[in-house]
Amino acid sequence: MPANPPFAPALKAALNAAIAYVDGLDDRAVPATATLKELRATLQKPLNDAAMDPKTVIQELVRDTENGFVGSAGGRFFAWGIGGSLPAALAADWLTSAWDQNAVLCACSPAAAVVEEVVGEWLKNLLRLPSSASFALVSGCQMAHATCLAAARNALLTVRGWDVEKQGLFGAPKIRVLASNRHGSIERAVRLLGIGEAQVTDLPLDEHAHPLTGELHHLLECDSGAPTILVLQAGDLNTGAFDDYATLVPLAKRFGAWVHLDAAFGLWVAASPNYRHLLDGAETADSWATDGHKWLNVPYDCGYAFVAHPEAHRRAMSQNSPYMVYAEDARDQFQWTPEWSRRARGFATYAALRQLGRSGVAHLIERCCAHARVLVEGLANLPGVQVLSQPLINQGLVRFLDPSPGATEQDHDAHTDEIIRRILAQGEVFFRGTTWRGRRAMRVSVLNWQTSEAHVQLAITSIQQALEASRQPNSTHRLEASENRI
Ligand SMILES: *Cc1c(COP(=O)(O)O)cnc(C)c1O
């Protein structure tokens, strides 16, 4: 083998495998069909001593992983909050790897720096955020929270005469976090930033899962001098609920709080004239975190942080090192991001936004919401299905009731989990469960650009089959036999 093997054979093998994969998504089982044991048996090889031909490495990687993938890239996947990849975004993502630019500084890659400048402006405009906001392209909403809350920490402590970047939090005024419908990523950001989970208070909610304004007012008043971050939700992961920003943001600001929005997928409804009213007032928050890899259908990993106070954002992130080469007339990305060396992830977003255009993003949002509605309506017509939450946007919740006479809530919980297992074992569509208000439920989440009306009908049929099969005698035994494959 030559000392420097050429690129082309490995890249062509990857191209062929990738096309076969994405074109075959409709024909394969959505859950992984290989067990962990089978995957380990093929992948856990002793590390070879001698070099291998790159094309062989790729071909064997494709062969050995083949049945270990979950078909989340395709249209029959309705679990969690996972989108697919638009063709232009996926292709741009490949090129990002081929170009292998370090998007840390403009000096390392002028094209990557300018693309990020453009993407940031496009996104603020599309998502109806203030044009003066600063932004960062990060690995996901988790790191967008960390970025935004680092800016919040800086701003809240700067006005109290405390330089948190220099002094850290030892001896600093205690920051408290009041949160509505908090996703676990908020807790992790708070931990990473040294604020600590103990400083987080979950706001009491009404029956629609909206924070009680009076309670928030009371909490703000109780300790009105404390540096406070209010975390609001745009698109709760179970129900898709939005908070009442027009009331809550001004209230929090009256007490000098920083308002952060967890809008991993919910912020995207700003692109649709039919849904954007759900975000009324959200543009007055101090920071916003969202994702590209969910509803925009950009490949992993891609999230966006936006901050209404660029100085605080910059103070929290920027650093000067003598060996770096700073741009005077361009945006050095690492002054805004938590990472140093980083992937030029602007290209994939740039390509996704151009492929769809403004109207395409709006259609994607509206289509996914319509599919979620039809899916949940279709399930509501099946015997034994209880709808816990109708889709407000693209998320719904259903529960499968145990038909036995005298069945308890616990029986319905167990039945719901059993039906989800059966759906997965059938392999045609993919759903997962959640616990919502103390009850087991199945989540319906539609985020993939490829999901079609036919996929939605297939999902309804597949769930109907699972329900019918569960009523057959001896059905439990048959399920267990196949269960270890999922
Ligand atoms: C997915 C999600 C997150 C975490 O985002 P990542 O991109 O996975 O880091 C945060 N909040 C909500 C509401 C989410 O749905």
Side-chain angles (χ1 to χ4, degrees):
M1 200 185 356
N4 288 319
F7 282 103
L11 289 181
K12 285 181 183 162
L15 174 67
N16 290 335
I19 292 173
Y21 183 78
V22 294
D23 281 353
L25 276 167
D26 264 353
D27 305 318
R28 51 184 293 149
V30 193
T33 52
T35 61
L36 291 177
K37 199 168 160 212
E38 285 163 355
L39 289 167
R40 290 196 180 108
T42 43
L43 289 161
Q44 266 178 359
K45 311 171 198 296
L47 179 59
N48 41 296
D49 199 30
M52 279 179 72
D53 165 41
K55 180 179 166 187
T56 310
V57 172
I58 295 307
Q59 285 174 330
E60 291 192 3
L61 179 66
V62 170
R63 188 195 63 203
D64 294 347
T65 53
E66 191 181 3
N67 296 321
F69 294 116
V70 173
S72 50
R76 293 176 291 141
F77 183 89
F78 301 93
W80 299 301
I82 294 184
S85 294
L86 292 159
L90 175 55
D93 190 66
W94 285 0
L95 285 170
T96 304
S97 293
W99 293 329
D100 196 21
Q101 301 288 284
N102 184 352
V104 53
L105 288 169
C106 179
C108 293
S109 180
V114 171
V115 159
E116 284 197 35
E117 285 173 14
V118 173
V119 160
E121 298 309 314
W122 282 353
L123 287 172
K124 282 187 279 177
N125 186 276
L126 190 67
L127 301 174
R128 309 195 142 218
L129 301 178
S131 60
S132 56
S134 53
F135 63 90
L137 273 63
V138 292
S139 59
C141 199
Q142 171 72 77
M143 286 316 291
H145 289 327
T147 306
C148 291
L149 297 185
R153 188 179 67 164
N154 174 287
L156 291 168
L157 295 180
T158 299
V159 296
R160 289 165 175 83
W162 188 268
D163 182 347
V164 68
E165 273 64 49
K166 205 180 199 107
Q167 313 286 348
L169 285 173
F170 300 104
K174 236 183 205 178
I175 297 175
R176 64 172 174 170
V177 179
L178 308 177
S180 147
N181 277 310
R182 174 165 58 93
H183 184 269
S185 54
I186 293 293
E187 179 184 307
R188 299 211 315 160
V190 162
R191 270 159 40 186
L192 280 172
L193 291 168
I195 295 170
E197 277 172 51
Q199 264 53 257
V200 181
T201 303
D202 289 311
L203 293 170
L205 307 172
D206 68 14
E207 72 275 19
H208 305 294
H210 295 138
L212 296 164
T213 312
E215 291 290 331
L216 173 63
H217 195 163
H218 175 69
L219 283 166
L220 289 166
E221 232 168 20
C222 269
D223 200 358
S224 62
T228 303
I229 298 171
L230 172 64
V231 178
L232 296 179
Q233 180 72 47
D236 169 70
L237 95 161
N238 285 315
T239 63
F242 290 75
D243 290 333
D244 175 4
Y245 315 108
T247 305
L248 301 175
V249 180
L251 172 62
K253 291 209 168 182
R254 253 190 17 240
F255 290 90
W258 176 290
V259 183
H260 173 68
L261 206 62
D262 178 0
F265 54 90
L267 199 56
W268 290 90
V269 306
S272 157
N274 298 346
Y275 289 95
R276 66 171 60 119
H277 64 273
L278 294 167
L279 286 165
D280 280 352
E283 71 287 354
T284 61
D286 297 290
S287 56
W288 305 263
T290 190
D291 268 319
H293 54 216
K294 289 182 180 171
W295 223 346
L296 185 59
N297 282 259
V298 166
Y300 286 100
D301 40 26
C302 185
Y304 317 111
F306 301 92
V307 180
H309 311 281
E311 336 71 56
H313 182 183
R314 196 182 166 103
R315 281 198 301 268
M317 291 299 155
S318 68
Q319 205 277 334
N320 285 314
S321 285
Y323 74 97
M324 302 287 269
V325 178
Y326 298 97
E328 277 174 16
D329 49 359
R331 182 177 177 276
D332 284 321
Q333 297 96 314
F334 101 122
Q335 305 286 17
W336 308 97
T337 57
E339 308 111 317
W340 200 281
S341 298
R342 57 192 280 280
R343 182 173 182 75
R345 52 173 76 84
F347 294 122
T349 300
Y350 186 89
L353 291 173
R354 291 202 76 204
Q355 184 195 319
L356 293 174
R358 242 175 229 291
S359 62
V361 179
H363 289 151
L364 170 64
I365 301 311
E366 289 162 12
R367 199 165 70 234
C368 289
C369 294
H371 287 329
R373 208 163 45 240
V374 171
L375 213 168
V376 171
E377 273 165 16
L379 296 182
N381 291 331
L382 302 177
V385 176
Q386 181 190 13
V387 176
L388 297 183
S389 177
Q390 292 281 357
L392 172 69
I393 51 168
N394 62 337
Q395 310 288 314
L397 289 175
V398 298
R399 177 167 165 88
F400 301 110
L401 303 179
D402 185 333
S404 334
T408 62
E409 290 298 335
Q410 284 74 17
D411 295 328
H412 298 322
D413 283 345
H415 193 65
T416 300
D417 284 329
E418 195 212 324
I419 298 297
I420 297 170
R421 274 197 301 277
R422 285 178 182 281
I423 296 165
L424 290 171
Q426 288 169 192
E428 290 174 306
V429 290
F430 195 103
F431 290 84
R432 284 290 190 176
T434 187
T435 299
W436 189 70
R437 298 186 176 172
R439 286 185 288 173
R440 293 297 292 160
M442 186 182 84
R443 293 189 59 235
V444 171
S445 180
V446 189
L447 287 150
N448 196 299
W449 71 281
Q450 298 201 79
T451 297
S452 64
E453 282 168 26
H455 291 140
V456 170
Q457 289 312 319
L458 179 70
I460 297 168
T461 312
S462 187
I463 293 166
Q464 183 173 17
Q465 275 165 12
L467 286 165
E468 281 164 9
S470 75
R471 293 186 210 114
Q472 304 295 318
N474 297 328
S475 58
T476 314
H477 180 249
R478 280 209 309 278
L479 173 69
E480 278 163 3
S482 61
E483 213 182 327
N484 65 357
R485 304 197 65 81
I486 53 173

